[in-house]
Amino acid sequence: MDDEHDDRKVTRRSNDECRRLAQRTKEYYHIGRTWPVNIGRVLRCGKILTVRGEKPLIYRVVPDAVLGLKDARTELIDGSVVITTRQSVGSSLLWGDPRTRMTMAHELGHGVMHAEEGAVDHRATGATGTTTISKMSASESAEHQAKVFASAFLIDDQRAAELATSMDIALEFLVSGSAAEICFERVQAQREREAAAARVMEENKKFQALMKTSQEKNYHLQAFCPSCRRQTLLPLGTKVGCNGEGCGYIGDHPEDN
């Protein structure tokens, strides 16, 4: 599905910001690190925390013909966020269909981020979340933002990073294969970035240690320590000091004697 009529420009938000809003929403519903998320219970709880504050939440299931080719829609009516879905979609949600779960989490994302008087956000049957607007400016696309929100709301990244394949993610969180694959690629990339950063830090530590050793060798005097008889004397102003292990000698320069 690639239809600009099913998308609109909204306030610019990065993917990370959309994920943070999804986590805030999970905390609001006291879900925490619980999975699979019971999205049906969330939709029926009667309230929602939007970016404009807490509002009543109304979830409606209507005959398929009412929405036509749209699986669901989200709008603000008289101060309440209203999420409406087709009967067939509502039925699929009851038995945990992965794509339907993503669809309804997607609509919840619209409710949290985009619900405003006069604006209607649709989820078209067969939609992929890719639209003309999202291709040109994903951070301003309502559909792209809702897509990112839905994935973060249903998938726990910490747990996903422990799983071996995208299929494992799909089964663990009851999400669509495409959503699981996108998440898997993202957490793998994050893992690789963290590993690369750790390697850089380790190499830096080795370099610093090498430089310190080199500097100490360069500063050591040719004379031997009168106490431990090692070539470990360092200049200390008009005096010298020994940094040999277990020594600690401080005194006059041997060559002055």
Side-chain angles (χ1 to χ4, degrees):
M1 191 71 180
D2 182 4
D3 186 350
E4 63 269 26
H5 298 301
D6 289 317
D7 198 1
R8 62 189 176 94
K9 278 196 171 185
V10 292
T11 301
R12 184 186 298 272
R13 292 187 180 90
S14 66
N15 289 348
D16 283 344
E17 185 176 356
C18 293
R19 292 188 191 102
R20 285 194 294 271
L21 285 169
Q23 293 304 315
R24 186 190 75 161
T25 303
K26 292 177 74 170
E27 293 170 4
Y28 173 72
Y29 289 122
H30 305 292
I31 295 173
R33 298 192 63 219
T34 301
W35 62 83
V37 172
N38 190 333
I39 184 66
R41 181 181 297 170
V42 168
L43 293 170
R44 294 189 296 270
C45 77
K47 60 181 182 178
I48 184 172
L49 181 61
T50 77
V51 294
R52 298 173 178 83
E54 187 177 73
K55 298 184 184 298
L57 173 62
I58 299 173
Y59 174 55
R60 303 189 306 195
V61 179
V62 299
D64 285 12
V66 173
L67 290 181
L69 296 179
K70 312 297 183 183
D71 277 347
R73 74 173 178 232
T74 300
E75 54 199 323
L76 188 66
I77 301 176
D78 296 331
S80 295
V81 174
V82 180
I83 296 178
T84 305
T85 189
R86 293 154 49 106
Q87 179 66 57
S88 57
V89 173
S91 298
S92 296
L93 184 64
L94 292 177
W95 55 266
D97 173 61
R99 187 183 184 284
T100 302
R101 285 168 49 77
M102 290 297 298
T103 292
M104 300 318 297
H106 182 103
E107 292 306 309
L108 186 69
H110 280 315
V112 169
M113 297 183 289
H114 309 138
E116 53 186 323
E117 295 288 355
V120 180
D121 291 295
H122 293 286
R123 180 66 166 173
T125 301
T128 63
T130 301
T131 69
T132 301
I133 295 175
S134 71
K135 288 178 180 179
M136 294 179 63
S137 180
S139 63
E140 295 179 297
S141 161
E143 285 303 294
H144 178 80
Q145 289 184 13
K147 179 180 179 180
V148 174
F149 178 101
S151 177
F153 189 76
L154 296 180
I155 300 175
D156 182 90
D157 274 7
Q158 185 175 332
R159 174 57 181 151
E162 299 170 351
L163 301 175
T165 68
S166 61
M167 181 59 70
D168 291 336
I169 293 176
L171 295 174
E172 183 86 357
F173 300 102
L174 294 183
V175 296
S176 65
S178 60
E181 188 170 345
I182 291 171
C183 176
F184 182 73
E185 291 175 355
R186 180 170 54 79
V187 297
Q188 285 293 102
Q190 177 63 29
R191 182 184 297 171
E192 290 172 5
R193 285 194 295 271
E194 291 174 352
R199 288 194 296 271
V200 170
M201 290 183 65
E202 183 61 29
E203 290 301 318
N204 185 57
K205 287 181 181 178
K206 291 179 181 178
F207 176 75
Q208 294 295 335
L210 180 63
M211 289 298 293
K212 181 179 180 182
T213 300
S214 176
Q215 290 172 353
E216 287 180 349
K217 287 182 178 179
N218 290 338
Y219 284 124
H220 282 152
L221 301 175
Q222 293 297 314
F224 288 87
C225 173
S227 176
C228 67
R229 308 305 303 169
R230 287 175 290 185
Q231 202 172 20
T232 49
L233 289 176
L234 295 172
L236 299 175
T238 59
K239 301 287 185 178
V240 296
C242 178
N243 72 338
E245 185 176 353
C247 182
Y249 168 83
I250 296 179
D252 295 327
H253 197 297
E255 296 178 1
D256 293 338
N257 297 328

